[in-house]
Amino acid sequence: MAIPDDSRRIFKASVLNPIAPDRVDAYAPGYLTVAGGKIEQLTSDDPRPALRFAEYIDISHKTIMPGFVDTHVHLPQFAIMGIGSGELLSWLNTYTYPEEARFADPEYAAKISQQFFDALVANGTTTAVVYSSVHEEATDIAFCAARASGIRAFIGKVMMDRNSPDALLEETEQSISRSVRLFNKWDGAEEGRLRYIFTPRFAAACSMQLMKRVGEIALERGAFVQSHLSENRHEVEWVRRLFPSSPSYAAVYHGAGLLTERSIMAHCIHLAPDEIALLSRARTKVAFCPYSNRTLRSGTMPYQTLRDAGLNISLGTDVAGGPSLSMLEQMRETMTAAQIPWSEALYLATLAGAKALGLAGRIGNFERGKDADFVVVANDVVEEVYVRGRRV
Ligand code: GUN
Ligand code: FE
């Protein structure tokens, strides 16, 4: 179908286009041409002589970059962002689990879900990989809120069938059947912009039986899976005690069939070399959440080691382990934690996230034909956000 010329817009701005970890092309200025919700071209020459009937927007003093991809964030922790303290296990019990239990109430779930997606968009996040609570209805509500916001989202109902407070604990079969119903209802909705992602919370709160079933179901359906791996030393020790016959934490997930190229493991801080090799062979994706790791005093993910092992590393805010939904903040944390330049952090916040999700052909930078998801940044603040060419 021909794209009508009257929907074409040319933005003149400083434009940053991530290509690889060590290559972000900078146009100062650049001309980003958007038509029919897609990227038409990015040039350093003014394209107006060749393009008639285009609206021209001169924001030369501002910077355009791709919309951010947050590959690890917890919706039902939005209201406790910046409130908790302490390390992971006590933080979960004291702040996080009681707040997530509130999502049994659909009204509360609807209120926070809307606030959450509004806040993601305001921060320039145009694709997000989201943990919901254990509740089926609250997760359904989260999908509705994501749909209303227009962004891309991978959302999963958290699964917890042991070592969890009564208010959140599920029977194994119940956890599976709720998740499968949500998968059937939502995976691929909105022209594929909404995806279901199976979400066993972490090995300490999941039985091997549950994790194996998730592994089988995800394999059968080509579904995505997310979980937490090796975040905190006490958590690692706990998982060791729970699975004494497993050689390592990563091996627990591997044994359940949860390490695939469609699984995203958050944190990956305290991994032994054989665990890194397992992830690498499986092409499992790593969500790096440095702001959370500093806040919860979890340690520092060995970025260079994981990158050198060939792993795809992308960024996650991990709200509310992390105290901010802002991917710009996350990028600043990343520079310090990983000792990398800002341009590499931008790559991790955009194209690396797209790759993690198998979406590098659709989003993540300004290649022709990709969705026109981008942000306008001025004075270190996200001022405007565009999703498929529309200002949101
Ligand atoms: N491990 C298990 N659950 C969680 C959670 O909600 N947040 C973080 N950061 N780690 C976890
Ligand atoms: Fe998390």
Side-chain angles (χ1 to χ4, degrees), residues 72 74 77 88 91-92 96-97 100 201-202 228 231 235 267 292 296 318 321:
H72 184 89
H74 298 261
Q77 298 172 17
L88 176 66
W91 172 79
L92 284 173
T96 310
Y97 290 161
E100 293 194 10
R201 182 168 208 131
F202 66 149
H228 296 90
E231 175 177 6
E235 169 216 12
H267 308 304
S292 165
L296 293 177
D318 194 26

Side-chain angles (χ1 to χ4, degrees), residues 60 98 135 138 247 305:
S60 305
H135 310 96
T305 307

